[in-house]
Amino acid sequence: MSPFEIGLASFGAMVVMIYAGFWVPFALMLSSYVGVWAIKGSPVLAGKLLALAAGETISSYFFGVVPLFVLMGYVVSVTGMGRDAFDVANHLFRRLKGGLGIGTVGANAIFAAITGISIASAAVFTRIAVPEMIRHGYDKRFAVGVVAGSSVLGMLIPPSLLLILYGLLTEQSVGDLFIAGIIPGILLALAFGLGIWLTALFWPARLGAGVAADQVESDLSPGGVAAKGLPIALLIGLVLGGIYGGFFTPIEAGAVGALGAIVIGVARRQLTWADFWQVLTDTGLVTAAISFLIIAAQMYSRMLALSGVPAGFGNFVAGAEIGYWGVILAYVALVVLMGAILDSSSIMLILVPLMLPVVTGMGVDLIWFGIVTVIAVEVGLLTPPFGISVFVIKSALDDPGISLGDIFLGAAPFALMMLVVLALVLAFPALATGLL
Amino acid sequence: PAAQADDFNVTIVAGHPPVFRWVKHASQTFIPAVNAALEGSGHSITWSEQYGGSLAKVGDELEAVEEGLAEIGLVSSLFDPAKLSVQNVTYFTPFVSSDSTAVSTWMDELQHTNADMQATWAENGLHYLGGGIGIDDYLLMTTFPVNSIDDLDGHKIAAPGPAVNWLEGTGAVGVSGNLTTYYNEIKTGVYDGVIVFASAALPGKLHEVAPYITKVGFGAQYAGGLAANADWFDDLPAEVQDALMAGAKADAEAYQKDLDASVTKFLAIMQEQGATVTEVDQAFRERWANGMDNVAKLWAEKLDGEGKNGTAVLKAYMDTMRAAGATPVRNWDQE
Amino acid sequence: MSDLSADEGGGADLPGWFRAIRAAVDAVTGALNVAGTLLIVAIMLLVNADVIGRGAFDAPISGVPEMVSMSIVAIVFLQVAQTFRKGRLTRTELLLGWLERRSARGRQALELLFSAGAILLVWQIIAASWPLFEKAWRRGTYEGTIGDFTAPIWPVKLIIIVGCVALFVQLILHGLAALIRLVRGDTE
Ligand code: NA
Ligand code: NA
């Protein structure tokens, strides 16, 4: 078999293993190990690739603060700050059907201004939002779907690790990319909110029996709203103020936010030692589960790079005589397709440099192209078999009653809405470049 | 080495993506030059180009080549300072020469002729091909004008790893930073400036947020080059070995020419777009250099302790550069 | 603490000797997990100290990015065995659940097969990681830059191996439990 055929075969084997119930990271590792062995003809080299990727993949300052973002979210959850925030949201949105779902999207948009990485959003809101939505009568599948869907806002609304990576790959200004992400990010949040509202209006059963029955009662006084909303507002103020006031970087924000949440929790006498330890342990388990997946995905991606499959498809798109829109649409389709099996940064690392000379030659605005790329790549967070946001939620949820399939199904409408927003950005480039 | 004609599968790896000039030239100069040199020899190479982290991240290229996952790599000594410590000599000897062609050409030469340099490559299982990655003269870019060293007092300046040392003794607060996030961090005010080179500053639009560009004369640097897996290289037919070395030489020449042209152009563009470029006088330069700790000496002694002849390498580099006509502001090796 | 573990029956049906071994292994796995957890706290305090030091005292802490990037690798490998033990490694239950309803032995056989595959893979990582550790130890490879901050990388390379060995042992016990049930032919 040629390396190209090996790459294709490894893909089939990997999908079968995942659906058969092999642990996803091991399915990726095994495909990668056998693939490299077959391509390079050496099991020793295959083992070396695994070992090098194990040590290198997550070894970065960017990635190192992920547990701290998760910790911040978990402290918010365990101290009741999250629950209070949702009571406030419920009160404010009580006349709006599907209000808590919309509230979750809004909260994610705010959190997106703090974090640069979607997995942090997914881990945090699984703990804060899912239990609250279920408590208020929402359908489980919808609850996890909202969280999965709105986690993608983390990478679109600045700061964004993926936009930084794109900037590095294309020598575009990261500052411009960040500004360009704002309107599409808000647009996506609005699309999600509108989608939820319309669903609540026309198919209320999809949101859950409790919501369909009628609005949830709320008897909060203005003073009660203030008392419940203040702690979380304080935390958001600390982190956003710190970043945009120049006191710390978005990377450091995770650490400051985590410590801030702990201090607020202790000050309110709502954080016990036992809770704190529990939350820390959980943070570790979720971080390890996700990191192990990302390491395995990187092994698989390196094998695939050696096989030449992505380059083959990329060169096909780049070289096809299909005109401007043909190339752009084929590229978007390829990115979404690769999103089914690869992690976000691997897709960008492989495809963007391949396409860059082509789109540059066509005179494409590279800032716009970056936003298009990031939205398309992020669809892959929600699509099976390898959907990292879905995996994060499953891992953070720790509830056997909600299966991976449930989460993928719950997230599907949001993936579709992303495609709609992507189409809008494709049709109206000014959505991305208008603020520049 | 086999005598018959062969086709070789060669994976070439770089952590940086092809928009970086040295990666671009590996793809567009080195590979075609090697292929051209092989014509008529009966041998040929089928290339698999793995750039931008698809096979190894920045700083991990050395291990990928050493372990045999790739045959050739653009190995960045700057990002592998422990394993290629002697190759980082330029970063510990600022104020020597602002001519990147001179620095990288002579560093390339030293990799082939200096026993200690060669030993380091060998120790890592690599054979150095050439294609030295020269980095253009590092600049100080700040949010405030710098007329005197005293203007730096208390300001936070970000710099890449070893260049943090250059800020010692200036009154500025040196912070180890990352090129990809400089723009935003200067904009929000986490940093008040950076030490960076022109060919990276313009693409990152750093002059928009730090418009005061001061040519302090930190100097051009050497950041690595093309290296092959030594076991693999040693087994190649002589014609292929020669072709690889010739390709690396062509690569170095094209890269340097391209870099020199871009730097002049980039500085002009930044100026057009509102940046102020000032070049400091010799007194400023001397005060800065003399105010620093002798970090070169510290570095050399640490290497000596590791059995790596740091002092000898320091002297060899400084002697080479002085012989080539450079007039270092401070003779780091003679104190 | 959730009691959902990789071994869904909780293990009450397994023989005493097996439960004794597993208890001992779990104690070690748990200890590694605690070490990883403490490292998360340490990282949080370190980054905050750097931010405060830089902002309030013009005195940033050298080497924070390097320390954080090394620590995250350590955290993950210290905790990966516990992650597996707690059933938090991602997998789909579609086929496994279906098999379980049709034939409990079928499920155990598949579990055994999966364990064997994972054991071989983790062994490959251990075997290929050992020379990397050994090299880092022998050469004294460090992160950071002379004059500013340096830290040896061998501890991280060692932790990768320790964590993989812990995962390896947990996988063996998982496979062994499946084998015992398969041979006995019971349904948990
Ligand atoms: Na964000
Ligand atoms: Na996917």
Side-chain angles (χ1 to χ4, degrees), chain B residues 62-63 66-67 80-83 85 92 123-125 154-156 161-165 168 173-176 190-191 295 298-299 302-303 306 308, chain C residues 50-51 53-66 128 131-132 135 138-150 153 157:
Chain B
L62 185 149
E63 267 191 318
E66 181 185 19
E67 300 294 333
D80 227 332
K83 288 183 206 132
S85 48
F92 292 90
E123 184 187 306
N124 288 292
H155 284 294
K156 294 176 200 71
V164 174
N165 291 323
E168 287 285 329
V173 181
V175 190
S176 177
V190 179
Y191 309 140
V295 65
L298 185 86
W299 169 85
K302 174 122 198 291
L303 263 54
E306 294 170 10
K308 280 177 181 161
Chain C
D50 184 31
V51 168
R54 184 184 62 214
F57 306 104
D58 278 355
I61 299 173
S62 292
V64 170
E66 287 86 356
L132 298 180
K135 218 164 56 184
R138 189 163 35 82
R139 296 189 194 164
T141 315
Y142 54 82
E143 286 266 1
T145 180
I146 296 175
D148 186 40
F149 161 89
T150 56
I153 62 163
K157 303 279 179 196

Side-chain angles (χ1 to χ4, degrees), chain C residues 42-140:
Chain C
I43 288 302
M44 179 182 77
L45 297 176
L46 178 70
V47 176
N48 276 287
D50 184 31
V51 168
I52 294 167
R54 184 184 62 214
F57 306 104
D58 278 355
I61 299 173
S62 292
V64 170
E66 287 86 356
M67 284 188 265
V68 171
S69 66
M70 288 198 283
S71 298
I72 183 66
V73 180
I75 289 167
V76 168
F77 281 92
L78 283 170
Q79 303 199 316
V80 71
Q82 182 80 342
T83 305
F84 173 79
R85 179 72 181 102
K86 292 285 171 191
R88 302 283 275 268
L89 274 201
T90 319
R91 71 194 306 196
T92 57
E93 286 283 343
L94 219 64
L95 179 71
L96 287 169
W98 178 82
L99 252 182
E100 177 123 49
R101 290 190 294 277
R102 309 293 302 263
S103 141
R105 285 187 111 153
R107 169 166 188 146
Q108 296 307 338
L110 198 55
E111 288 283 1
L112 184 59
L113 179 71
F114 287 160
S115 303
I119 286 166
L120 287 174
L121 277 169
V122 175
W123 176 251
Q124 287 302 323
I125 296 178
I126 296 170
S129 295
W130 179 260
L132 298 180
F133 158 70
E134 201 259 342
K135 218 164 56 184
W137 167 268
R138 189 163 35 82
R139 296 189 194 164

Side-chain angles (χ1 to χ4, degrees), chain A residues 339-341 380-381 383-384 386-387:
Chain A
I341 51 164
L381 291 179
T383 55
F386 188 84

Side-chain angles (χ1 to χ4, degrees), chain A residues 111-117 153-160:
Chain A
F111 190 67
I114 300 171
T115 176
I117 187 159
L153 295 171
M155 279 295 193
L156 206 50
I157 294 173
S160 156

